[in-house]
Amino acid sequence: MIPDPASASELAKQAMLAYRRGELSAAAEGFRSASAAYTRDGDELAAAEAANNLCVTLLQADRPQEALECVEGTPAVFERHNESGRAAQAVGNLGTALESCGRPAEAEAAYRHSLDLFRSLGDREGESLILQRLSQVRLRQGQPIEALAAMQASLEAAPRGGLLRRWMRSLLSLPARFFSG
């Protein structure tokens, strides 16, 4: 059976291909159409996944307000369906959209929620990425010590400990030694 070219899954697949080629406008339109088609078909989870992909695409296309609008309800969808990993990612995307819209306090709250979800899952890589985002928000808020602490925690949470990460951990521990000494 040949898939209907307007089917939700085919739209999502084509959008992902466009995204991988760097065709952000085509990808955004495809993810938007896929989300609408999944919603029409009653597949709430797939619609939320397409909306999250749309959010990421719109953020890369420097369209933060649109990204925020499309991601706002998706964490709740994933949480209702006990999809904690996807919820953690969606809340992180929400934080990035809020940060990009100039709402750092709300972004920080979203990042903290995402961090809690990643930690509960034991997802060290997700935890590390969110801590990096949290560090950036704190730095922009004029909280350099808190930013440093979040970045150091990010390096500690990272699943891989190569030479560069060990060097960074050592470097970032210096201010802590200075203040505690």
Side-chain angles (χ1 to χ4, degrees):
M1 179 175 175
I2 298 173
D4 174 8
S7 74
S9 61
E10 186 61 27
L11 289 167
K13 183 177 160 185
Q14 293 303 316
M16 187 58 73
L17 290 172
Y19 177 81
R20 288 182 180 141
R21 288 189 304 262
E23 299 167 2
L24 298 180
S25 293
E29 187 54 40
F31 287 130
R32 189 180 315 279
S33 296
S35 183
Y38 281 126
T39 299
R40 178 193 68 222
D41 296 344
D43 191 342
E44 184 180 45
L45 273 173
E49 185 66 30
N52 263 298
N53 290 339
L54 175 59
C55 171
V56 170
T57 303
L58 291 170
L59 285 168
Q60 288 189 3
D62 199 27
R63 294 161 58 186
Q65 186 59 44
E66 289 176 73
L68 179 60
E69 290 166 7
C70 71
V71 76
E72 282 181 308
T74 64
V77 171
F78 293 128
E79 288 173 354
R80 271 197 311 275
H81 290 275
N82 296 316
E83 292 280 343
S84 298
R86 290 160 107 184
Q89 290 175 348
V91 175
N93 290 343
L94 176 63
T96 302
L98 286 163
E99 182 182 358
S100 297
C101 286
R103 296 162 60 179
E106 292 170 85
E108 182 175 350
Y111 289 144
R112 288 182 165 283
H113 183 202
S114 178
L115 183 60
D116 290 342
L117 290 170
F118 279 124
R119 283 182 173 156
S120 72
L121 294 166
D123 184 337
R124 305 280 287 168
E125 188 171 335
E127 181 182 342
S128 178
L129 291 172
I130 292 299
L131 282 165
Q132 289 174 33
R133 298 297 309 169
L134 190 55
S135 175
Q136 291 173 359
V137 166
R138 288 178 173 165
L139 193 58
R140 287 188 189 111
Q141 289 177 310
Q143 302 172 353
I145 301 302
E146 293 84 352
L148 182 64
M151 184 54 73
Q152 187 170 6
S154 166
L155 291 169
E156 295 297 325
R160 289 175 233 103
L163 182 60
L164 179 60
R165 284 200 191 277
R166 287 194 304 270
W167 179 78
M168 289 290 293
R169 280 187 201 128
S170 175
L171 180 65
L172 289 174
S173 71
L174 291 176
R177 287 187 214 144
F178 174 76
F179 287 115
S180 65

